[in-house]
Amino acid sequence: MTDAARDGEKEKVIFAHTLQAFIQRVIMRRALLSIEFDKELRALGVDVSRPKEVNLATWVALLRACAKKMSPGAPEDEALEQVGREMMQGYSEGLVGRAMTIVLKLIGPRRSLLRMMENYATADNMTTVKVVEVTPTTMELEFNSTGDMPTYVRGILSEMLRTVGARDIKIDYRTLPSSATVYSVSWT
């Protein structure tokens, strides 16, 4: 039993299908899995041959390990942003992702961002996203949690916008005292 469960809090978890998608769309697609890396991931609690629900700490450790493996020597923030981009690129190449990309291109960047809460509700049991439309090409997205990896989320957002045809994408973020992260997103 975890401390969160003992304290009556709901444990923060990433659903098994999200982990499985990450393994397929980033680790396998980028051929990152070596015997040594597999051992490292198993030590973190991730079995790539049997993906299961993982807690937030394990997910964060996995993303950081992949960032280090993909971008050795790069600053962690930059490497995590690249991992976010890779996740979206891999998603867009899968069967469901290709179909979703077609829909997102049809509805455009604005409506794609307005759907962000629904997208994250299927990935884990903790992330909430509030979207405020500032102008037709500027949004503010407040994520209650980014696992202390705001650049990973920025990578996902920037790649999603690029994929649906946005240009001149600018994404700034700030972390609030509550640990929430607000992304100011604009495009043409």
Side-chain angles (χ1 to χ4, degrees), residues 147-168:
D148 291 327
M149 298 180 301
T151 58
Y152 170 72
V153 174
R154 182 169 65 187
I156 290 172
L157 293 172
S158 65
E159 187 61 25
M160 186 271 296
L161 286 167
R162 187 197 65 74
T163 300
V164 301
R167 294 181 320 264
D168 302 320

Side-chain angles (χ1 to χ4, degrees), residues 56-89:
L56 179 59
T58 300
W59 177 249
V60 168
L62 169 66
L63 294 179
R64 287 192 164 127
C66 287
K68 187 176 177 182
K69 180 86 171 162
M70 279 178 47
S71 304
E76 186 178 65
D77 284 350
E78 290 175 21
L80 284 167
E81 188 163 347
Q82 183 59 35
V83 171
R85 284 190 192 105
E86 289 288 336
M87 180 62 173
M88 267 314 295
Q89 288 170 5

Side-chain angles (χ1 to χ4, degrees), residues 29-48:
R29 183 174 149 267
R30 289 290 307 265
L32 299 178
L33 196 62
S34 62
I35 293 170
E36 296 80 21
F37 195 52
D38 186 47
K39 287 179 185 176
E40 182 181 342
L41 296 179
R42 285 177 189 270
L44 296 174
V46 176
D47 180 350
V48 297

Side-chain angles (χ1 to χ4, degrees), residues 103-176:
V103 171
L104 294 177
K105 283 181 179 181
L106 288 173
I107 67 174
R110 178 184 162 272
R111 287 178 47 203
S112 295
L113 286 172
L114 289 171
R115 295 187 71 249
M116 197 54 62
M117 178 58 201
E118 291 86 8
N119 297 344
Y120 274 86
T122 64
D124 62 50
N125 73 344
M126 70 199 136
T127 305
T128 60
V129 183
K130 296 176 190 170
V131 182
V132 175
E133 186 172 7
V134 179
T135 72
T137 58
T138 304
M139 304 263 182
E140 284 201 345
L141 289 81
E142 181 179 326
F143 285 71
N144 70 319
S145 173
T146 62
D148 291 327
M149 298 180 301
T151 58
Y152 170 72
V153 174
R154 182 169 65 187
I156 290 172
L157 293 172
S158 65
E159 187 61 25
M160 186 271 296
L161 286 167
R162 187 197 65 74
T163 300
V164 301
R167 294 181 320 264
D168 302 320
I169 300 162
K170 184 176 183 207
I171 303 175
D172 295 314
Y173 67 88
R174 66 186 186 283
T175 303
L176 303 178

